[in-house]
Amino acid sequence: MYFHNILYLSYLMVATFFYYLLAFPIIISASMVFYKGRLDDAMRFSNHMYGSFLVRISWPLIRIKCVGRENMLDNTPYVVVVNHRSTADIFFGPFFTPRNTAVFVRSWPFKLWFVGWFMRQAGYIDIEKTDLSLFCEGEGRNLYKRGVSFLFFPEGHRSRDVKLLPFCSGAFIAAVEFNMPVVPVCMTGTEKFLSMNDHLVRPAVIDIDILPAVHPSSFPEERRAVKLKKHVESLIRECLNE
Amino acid sequence: MTEQEISNRVKKILIEEFELKEEELNDDTSLYDEMGLDSLDSVDLIVALEREFSFKVIRNVDEEKIRAIRKLKDIYCFIIEKQKTLAGPEQRGIIDR
Amino acid sequence: MSLRRVVITGMGAISPFGIGMKTMMDGLYSGQSAVVSQKAEWEWQIKDLNCLVGAPVKESLPSKSISRQYRRTMGPTAVMALLAAQEAIVNAGISNSFISSGRTGVSFSASTGSAESLTQYFKEFFKSSSLKNISSGSFFQVMSHTSAANIAHVLNIKGRVISPDAACSSATQAIGLGYEAIKYGLQDIMLCGGSDELNAIVCGSFDLLNATSCRFNDKPTQTPRPFDRDRDGTVCGEGAGCIILEAEEFAIRRNIPILAEIKGFSTLSDGTHLAQSHSDSIVRCMENALDSANLTSDDIDYINAHATGTILGDIAEAEAIKKVFGSRMVPVSSLKGHMGHTLGASGALEVAASVRMFNDNILIPTLNLKHPGEGCEGINHLMDIRRGKIRTFLKNSFAFGGINSILVIGRYSN
């Protein structure tokens, strides 16, 4: 098992090397043109492509079953919330988020040497160091106006026993503030792919269920973010229990 | 019918028809402030209680008592009183128990 | 007072293909039919119903995602209307503060209130001769302005709320009246559209008038057949469409993409027949619509027809098109072959689809039109997908009561 993991990790490192040597310059140049010189937009697009690339070249070790893609919204930024079972979750984001999505994560990934740099360049948000209300007034509004979607892991950290942890409110406060629909996503199998017990990788089927969007305006104004949060939490809980 | 039975049946209505959560329903929970019910809901609640407990709310007679209902336990008291009014003297003893 | 230009900045759809604009366009562009058999659902409800096909919304509506406090006054008609309005608002990027500023209004219709809620209402009443067991929200579900009122309530809209209930012309009229409210400076943004449910009783009403398709109960995707020689009537569908209309200067200030411009609108009555508009009245309405847009028939590059697949209705419309457009052979198609007749929603859904086609430079043909029927020839029927830029198109809607409504929609340029 250790040998296979070392082999797989080496394979990913070689693939990453060639990706960044060959594909990255083309992708970043084209997206800098498309996004009119905005580096963070271009890097988010590049990260999206890289994550998708890594998962696809890992077939058949990783097999994706994704339903509900028709629930991904067209032509509008939105908030995606997904349950969190594994450190690898972020790499599956490209299967249920639009190409220009800012990811909200805790501080520790930003400290990783290679990954952290790309996250910072892409303008991912460190939720432990960000004041949400200031964010909504400033950078958040800027991102929203540019059509950037947001990805949150509202449990805050990985669930150790696959049970859904209580949701934090950040995603829903942002959704209410900008009147962005929330698309709930249920993802299972990542905890089997990358086990938190022994940090080893195993073959897994990743089931992704994208649920219909929930609009903040469907809830009365008073305590809207809380009601939205509770409802989305119940949708994801119900989906996971099926 | 004991107060506990009444409580269970009232809570069942609130959970099924008003989509409230069981953990939010305590005897002292305020219907309007905490449970978020409004005037339309109070009309529907009366209809649901009438159906569940087989009594009829008489507008002129019961109006004041209904207006006085603020908390969950007020509903239990109202139902107990209503059932006493409908019951004969022997059965009042059973409800009181 | 100078008249303002009115543009389209957002659209939302719940169609027989499912939830969202993308789902509707994917279905239309791939030439699918959303018509299915309704035999199992309807046969036991109404004896002797001839038409057993319909076009229901394919997916179940996420009604539970609307808080109970709002949902209790909504039947499916209003739920669909709200979902479409929410999608349109998100696409148009309108802030909550502007929505409730009093300068945003609603012009939304349904041909009746919720048919399902109405059926339940009277079932309960006839059972007990009492209204005691009927929930307090029921009236709000069945009232004819349920869609407009519920949208305004949920979205906290304080501007004018109009609900023109004109059967199949409802949504087109709603869009037209919304256009006029902005044009004359009375509102800055209007959420316009229509919604309607599929229900056996509604289909039965058309059935009574011999207006429904009955020969394709075992081949649902082959009906309705607008303009086709084998057409035998319409097929009822359901859905909701919402179009956000906005004053030009607002859209420019908000720096939001403008999808199209409403150039003109006309709604006139036939005046002679309650069930069927004659071609002369349709001609009058078309000419009036073109006048209102300061355009002539030479400026029109596409007509999105009302054509529901009824024998007489399709002929009347074809004749009118021939009279107004003569030898110009403007391309004509009806989307009812794909989605059935979504009644109060049809104007809005078909405007939304047409605006999307217009922006994609693609024209969708009439599904199930193989051979134009007698009286329907002599116009340029689209029977294959056509690509090319169009400047301006007409959206026709004709309704029971002889109510004709036509919108003129074109490219925006400042």
Side-chain angles (χ1 to χ4, degrees):
Chain A
M1 181 54 72
Y2 285 108
F3 173 72
H4 292 119
N5 269 250
I6 290 167
L7 201 63
Y8 175 60
L9 201 60
S10 310
Y11 166 67
L12 288 185
M13 284 170 69
V14 168
T16 298
F17 173 77
F18 281 108
Y19 174 88
Y20 279 98
L21 184 70
L22 300 171
F24 179 75
I26 301 169
I27 289 172
I28 204 74
S29 312
S31 42
M32 282 292 274
V33 170
F34 181 77
Y35 289 114
K36 298 185 179 107
R38 289 193 299 266
L39 180 65
D40 58 340
D41 283 337
M43 286 299 291
R44 278 191 285 272
F45 175 73
S46 168
N47 287 356
H48 183 99
M49 299 302 284
Y50 174 64
S52 176
F53 167 75
L54 273 195
V55 171
R56 287 180 202 282
I57 62 164
S58 299
W59 186 88
L61 181 67
I62 303 173
R63 279 156 293 152
I64 304 278
K65 275 192 340 200
C66 184
V67 297
R69 289 193 69 86
E70 66 277 5
N71 292 322
M72 288 176 65
L73 304 175
D74 237 2
N75 301 325
T76 179
Y78 53 100
V79 174
V80 181
V81 300
V82 62
N83 61 300
H84 194 18
R85 289 184 175 183
S86 163
T87 317
D89 284 350
I90 196 172
F91 291 100
F92 297 95
F95 292 90
F96 50 83
T97 56
R99 288 193 195 103
N100 194 351
T101 300
V103 187
F104 290 69
V105 287
R106 298 175 75 94
S107 297
W108 72 265
F110 289 95
K111 295 173 185 154
L112 299 174
W113 176 68
F114 184 72
V115 168
W117 187 83
F118 280 94
M119 287 170 65
R120 272 191 299 278
Q121 296 310 307
Y124 290 1
I125 290 97
D126 181 344
I127 49 168
E128 291 183 87
K129 290 187 178 151
T130 302
D131 181 303
L132 193 62
S133 48
L134 285 176
F135 170 80
C136 287
E137 276 168 39
E139 193 192 342
R141 190 160 297 277
N142 187 17
L143 287 172
Y144 165 70
K145 281 190 175 158
R146 279 158 52 192
V148 179
S149 294
F150 300 159
L151 170 61
F152 283 86
F153 299 89
E155 292 167 275
H157 50 86
R158 289 187 314 276
S159 167
R160 304 276 167 196
D161 60 357
V162 306
K163 277 202 192 131
L164 200 67
L165 297 171
F167 278 12
C168 302
S169 299
F172 308 98
I173 292 172
V176 168
E177 175 68 29
F178 303 120
N179 201 22
M180 288 160 94
V182 175
V183 173
V185 176
C186 298
M187 184 160 63
T188 57
T190 53
E191 75 283 6
K192 296 193 177 95
F193 168 67
L194 179 59
S195 162
M196 289 300 101
N197 297 327
D198 55 16
H199 301 283
L200 290 177
V201 159
R202 287 169 178 80
V205 173
I206 313 296
D207 276 300
I208 298 171
D209 208 327
I210 306 171
L211 304 179
V214 181
H215 289 260
S217 58
S218 297
F219 299 87
E221 219 173 318
E222 200 189 309
R223 298 176 73 230
R224 180 172 272 168
V226 171
K227 290 171 186 163
L228 178 63
K229 177 185 81 167
K230 284 189 170 174
H231 179 71
V232 170
E233 192 178 333
S234 69
L235 287 176
I236 293 182
R237 194 180 299 280
E238 202 182 308
C239 181
L240 292 172
N241 287 341
E242 276 167 5
Chain B
M1 205 184 302
T2 63
E3 190 168 324
Q4 187 56 50
E5 278 170 2
I6 291 175
S7 165
N8 290 343
R9 286 164 73 172
V10 170
K11 283 184 182 172
K12 187 161 169 274
I13 291 172
L14 291 169
I15 290 166
E16 282 176 8
E17 295 195 30
F18 295 87
E19 297 175 20
L20 296 170
K21 300 264 176 335
E22 192 165 355
E23 50 271 20
E24 291 166 356
L25 303 175
N26 303 308
D27 290 357
D28 283 304
T29 312
S30 152
L31 291 174
Y32 302 109
D33 298 326
E34 289 170 276
M35 283 192 233
L37 301 189
D38 62 15
S39 56
L40 282 185
D41 291 321
S42 60
V43 169
D44 290 341
L45 181 58
I46 298 299
V47 168
L49 293 175
E50 285 178 330
R51 202 172 49 228
E52 179 70 23
F53 297 99
S54 307
F55 60 66
K56 282 268 170 264
V57 165
I58 303 160
R59 210 162 147 176
N60 298 329
V61 172
D62 296 317
E63 204 166 335
E64 288 254 355
K65 289 176 205 156
I66 290 185
R67 286 228 194 101
I69 293 174
R70 290 275 173 273
K71 299 183 181 189
L72 211 49
K73 63 185 181 194
D74 299 336
I75 300 181
Y76 310 151
C77 296
F78 175 77
I79 294 168
I80 290 169
E81 240 189 81
K82 210 52 195 162
Q83 293 193 320
K84 275 188 196 169
T85 322
L86 293 170
E90 314 83 35
Q91 286 160 311
R92 278 197 203 114
I94 296 170
I95 294 164
D96 277 334
R97 255 184 260 133
Chain C
M1 174 183 65
S2 63
L3 301 176
R4 301 197 296 181
R5 291 172 72 178
V6 181
V7 295
I8 297 175
T9 53
M11 303 191 293
I14 306 289
S15 72
F17 288 114
I19 296 169
M21 279 294 301
K22 185 174 184 304
T23 311
M24 179 173 74
M25 295 317 296
D26 285 348
L28 290 172
Y29 281 150
S30 59
Q32 290 174 46
S33 165
V35 178
V36 295
S37 172
Q38 290 292 118
K39 195 168 184 289
E41 291 85 352
W42 288 353
E43 237 180 2
W44 62 271
Q45 286 188 51
I46 301 184
K47 283 193 305 192
D48 309 322
L49 192 62
N50 294 308
C51 175
L52 294 172
V53 291
V57 173
K58 217 174 256 193
E59 305 170 51
S60 55
L61 299 174
S63 313
K64 285 274 166 87
S65 286
I66 301 169
S67 114
R68 186 197 65 84
Q69 196 174 331
Y70 292 144
R71 199 186 339 125
R72 66 189 169 179
T73 54
M74 295 184 181
T77 296
V79 167
M80 289 190 286
L82 178 67
L83 295 174
Q86 286 174 330
E87 183 188 4
I89 284 174
V90 160
N91 283 331
I94 308 172
S95 68
N96 285 334
S97 56
F98 204 84
I99 289 174
S100 38
S101 65
R103 295 298 298 174
T104 298
V106 176
S107 178
F108 219 96
S109 56
S111 43
T112 63
S114 167
E116 185 185 306
S117 303
L118 195 62
T119 310
Q120 295 310 320
Y121 190 101
F122 282 107
K123 268 188 182 163
E124 180 59 40
F125 175 66
F126 289 132
K127 193 168 72 183
S128 60
S129 294
S130 161
L131 298 174
K132 282 291 264 177
N133 286 331
I134 289 174
S135 77
S136 60
S138 291
F139 174 72
F140 303 99
Q141 295 177 19
V142 310
M143 63 190 189
S144 59
H145 63 300
T146 185
S147 297
N150 276 291
I151 288 174
H153 174 226
V154 172
L155 300 179
N156 198 19
I157 288 176
K158 300 187 171 87
R160 59 170 46 189
V161 175
I162 319 167
S163 180
D165 299 327
C168 317
S169 253
S170 295
T172 308
Q173 263 200 352
I175 296 168
L177 292 175
Y179 153 73
E180 287 174 351
I182 297 173
K183 181 175 166 181
Y184 295 117
L186 304 166
Q187 297 278 244
D188 298 323
I189 294 181
M190 290 290 287
L191 278 59
C192 306
S195 61
D196 242 323
E197 286 166 38
L198 180 63
N199 186 279
I201 300 227
V202 171
C203 177
S205 315
F206 283 85
D207 215 55
L208 270 176
L209 298 168
N210 293 326
T212 49
S213 169
C214 314
R215 293 204 321 262
F216 297 89
N217 288 337
D218 55 345
K219 298 169 279 187
T221 57
Q222 292 184 30
T223 190
R225 309 178 69 86
F227 299 121
D228 189 74
R229 70 181 178 201
D230 294 327
R231 70 190 185 281
D232 72 330
T234 194
V235 171
C236 294
E238 66 178 2
C242 182
I243 311 288
I244 307 277
L245 300 185
E246 196 165 341
E248 177 203 14
E249 61 262 33
F250 268 76
I252 291 173
R253 207 181 306 154
R254 288 193 316 113
N255 200 23
I256 197 82
I258 289 174
L259 303 174
E261 181 180 357
I262 309 274
K263 307 264 189 197
F265 167 65
S266 172
T267 183
L268 297 173
S269 165
D270 181 87
T272 61
H273 199 287
L274 213 53
Q276 176 56 51
S277 290
H278 291 107
S279 68
D280 288 341
S281 71
I282 298 173
V283 167
R284 264 191 304 116
C285 195
M286 278 188 188
E287 287 173 344
N288 190 250
L290 290 169
D291 278 343
S292 76
N294 278 329
L295 295 172
T296 67
S297 57
D298 289 340
D299 298 304
I300 303 300
D301 295 328
Y302 167 63
I303 299 170
N304 185 267
H306 179 65
T308 61
T310 56
I311 309 291
L312 296 177
D314 290 4
I315 292 175
E317 187 169 9
E319 278 178 5
I321 291 171
K322 270 182 274 198
K323 282 179 193 163
V324 174
F325 293 91
S327 58
R328 260 203 81 225
M329 298 306 264
V330 176
V332 178
S333 69
S334 166
L335 298 178
K336 292 185 175 71
H338 299 78
M339 297 196 286
H341 186 2
T342 51
L343 308 171
S346 64
L349 282 176
E350 291 162 20
V351 162
S354 299
V355 169
R356 187 57 73 84
M357 286 196 276
F358 167 86
N359 282 310
D360 293 344
N361 297 320
I362 295 176
L363 293 178
I364 297 172
T366 305
L367 190 64
N368 295 326
L369 171 55
K370 305 284 178 223
H371 309 279
E374 199 182 319
C376 300
E377 317 103 317
I379 61 176
N380 184 2
H381 290 290
L382 281 175
M383 291 195 266
D384 294 298
I385 288 219
R386 183 164 319 172
R387 290 171 205 280
K389 207 164 173 167
I390 59 169
R391 300 163 293 166
T392 320
F393 68 90
L394 290 191
K395 169 67 211 139
N396 293 349
S397 294
F398 314 121
F400 285 156
I403 300 177
N404 302 326
S405 305
I406 297 179
L407 287 162
V408 184
I409 302 175
R411 259 174 224 286
Y412 169 75
S413 56
N414 60 11

